Amino acid sequence: MVAIHPLKKIWLDGRLVEWPAAKVHVLTHGLHYGYAIFEGIRSHRALNGPAIFRLREHVERFLNSAKIYRMKLPFSSEELHVACKDLVRANGVPEAYLRPIAFSGYGEMGLDPTNCPIQVAVAMWEWGAYLGKEGQEKGVRATVSSWVRNDARSLPPQAKCAANYANGALAKMEASASGYDEAILLNSSGMVAEGPGENVFRVRDKVLSTPPASSGILRGVTRDTVIQLAQEEGIEFRRVDFTREELFTADELFFSGTAAGITPIREVDGRPIGEGSYPVTRRLQGAYDDCLRGRSPRHEDWLTYVA
Ligand code: PPE
């Protein structure tokens, strides 16, 4: 969790407005029914200036989320790219987290959002290590949630919809109340799915694995980055379902996500994971950091410089 420190500007419905002016009505439709889709993107101080990481892929997922929910966005992909770049420049903060969001606005009530205006905003704030700086370095303690991950037949996991996160919040609160840093959710078949805001990776006998999209997860941009980097590092990789007990017997486990970055998991439900050193995780963290900060020439195309 992070307390928000106001910056200068927020992009709202096509223009940059002053931070305190970015408000909505309490009868905003999406607030009542969870009809909102969003993204989480990071910008970093890279070698050649502030740069947004994998902006294209995030905006593409945003458009796909809208499509799944029949939401007609009044802005094009190109306009959203420009909005994100303008926003980082306007706030003058290179290391930030960007939150594009589209939602059914004020106009009608009742479940069908078809006739509501669609509002779109991009806000940004400074968000340090999602699971704490110490967690990022030394690893976090996780617990398998008693809450089952949203079933794909109820809430499509590929759409990053606000409604999905009620399930995540239940899991996260349960984990915190029991003294853990983060939850791991199983799907309705009992296989490992993901964290409330992260994908999960496992290393066993030098083989890296992560659950396939069919396990009912969000297909993370960071997950995709990790998979590409692992292949370049010569790490054997498999997309495969794994069980709860395979978490306990892993040599290494880690979370991946835009907010979380690559965060080692050092314990699951009282069982220490592996030996407590994370050689594969560390290699991937290093390679990932190089990409974010423009030190990886082969992945320059993942960066959108804002200047
Ligand atoms: N699964 C879920 C459910 C999820 O929310 C995220 C991102 C991921 C996997 C990883 O996706 P990606 O960021 O593309 O690698 N969670 C976002 C929101 C976190 C929040 O608390 O808010 C994020 O990391 O931006």
Side-chain angles (χ1 to χ4, degrees):
M1 293 295 103
V2 66
I4 296 174
H5 294 293
L7 299 175
K8 289 182 210 136
K9 302 278 186 184
I10 290 177
W11 186 93
L12 181 61
D13 296 324
R15 59 195 186 91
L16 290 168
V17 301
E18 293 301 319
W19 184 281
K23 289 187 176 153
V24 295
H25 196 276
V26 289
L27 290 180
T28 294
H29 183 273
L31 184 63
H32 295 252
Y33 305 114
Y35 191 77
I37 54 137
F38 69 94
E39 269 305 315
I41 314 176
R42 277 194 191 268
S43 78
H44 300 272
R45 195 179 280 109
L47 225 48
N48 299 320
I52 304 173
F53 189 64
R54 301 198 73 176
L55 178 61
R56 254 175 292 122
E57 290 83 351
H58 282 286
V59 169
E60 192 183 332
R61 190 171 65 186
F62 191 64
L63 299 180
N64 284 336
S65 297
K67 194 170 193 178
I68 292 168
Y69 276 99
R70 297 170 172 255
M71 193 184 270
K72 289 194 187 68
L73 292 184
F75 299 98
S76 68
S77 140
E78 187 51 39
E79 286 168 319
L80 294 168
H81 287 176
V82 172
C84 291
K85 288 196 276 184
D86 285 353
L87 185 69
V88 176
R89 261 202 317 271
N91 282 306
V93 174
E95 295 271 333
Y97 181 86
L98 282 77
R99 169 57 54 83
I101 183 164
F103 52 96
S104 46
Y106 175 89
E108 285 191 8
M109 286 309 244
L111 258 71
D112 187 349
T114 309
N115 294 322
C116 291
I118 297 300
Q119 290 201 264
V120 185
V122 188
M124 65 178 253
W125 64 91
E126 291 176 278
W127 207 352
Y130 185 64
L131 297 170
K133 200 166 159 44
E134 197 183 313
Q136 184 124 41
E137 282 157 16
K138 298 192 180 143
V140 294
R141 296 174 55 246
T143 180
V144 175
S145 187
S146 72
W147 296 99
V148 171
R149 193 65 176 143
N150 298 319
D151 191 278
R153 291 163 295 187
S154 304
L155 283 167
Q158 298 308 322
K160 203 169 161 61
C161 178
N164 296 358
Y165 288 82
N167 171 251
L170 288 169
K172 178 83 193 187
M173 287 188 289
E174 179 187 54
S176 304
S178 316
Y180 288 95
D181 303 308
E182 190 53 300
I184 297 174
L185 290 117
L186 307 181
N187 61 28
S188 46
S189 310
M191 305 305 273
V192 172
E194 61 184 339
E198 313 90 349
N199 292 116
V200 178
F201 282 83
R202 174 181 193 259
V203 181
R204 172 76 194 199
D205 295 333
K206 301 200 163 63
V207 180
L208 179 72
S209 58
T210 199
S214 57
S215 66
I217 55 165
L218 180 73
R219 223 179 295 187
V221 173
T222 320
R223 172 179 176 273
D224 178 75
T225 304
V226 166
I227 294 169
Q228 288 198 49
L229 294 176
Q231 281 159 353
E232 288 163 19
E233 295 276 318
I235 298 165
E236 199 180 326
F237 167 74
R238 291 184 202 141
R239 251 179 222 92
V240 64
D241 278 310
F242 46 87
T243 59
R244 177 181 200 156
E245 64 269 23
E246 283 170 314
L247 291 171
F248 306 143
T249 58
D251 297 329
E252 301 176 43
L253 291 174
F254 62 84
F255 285 120
S256 76
T258 300
I262 296 175
T263 303
I265 301 171
R266 69 180 153 91
E267 181 198 312
V268 179
D269 288 324
R271 286 105 168 152
I273 300 306
E275 316 255 278
S277 65
Y278 322 104
V280 175
T281 310
R282 294 290 180 225
R283 258 169 82 194
L284 291 167
Q285 277 180 321
Y288 180 58
D289 205 57
D290 285 346
C291 294
L292 299 180
R293 295 175 196 288
R295 293 188 302 254
S296 174
R298 98 197 270 176
H299 292 303
E300 265 302 302
D301 62 328
W302 281 347
L303 295 180
T304 300
Y305 284 94
V306 305

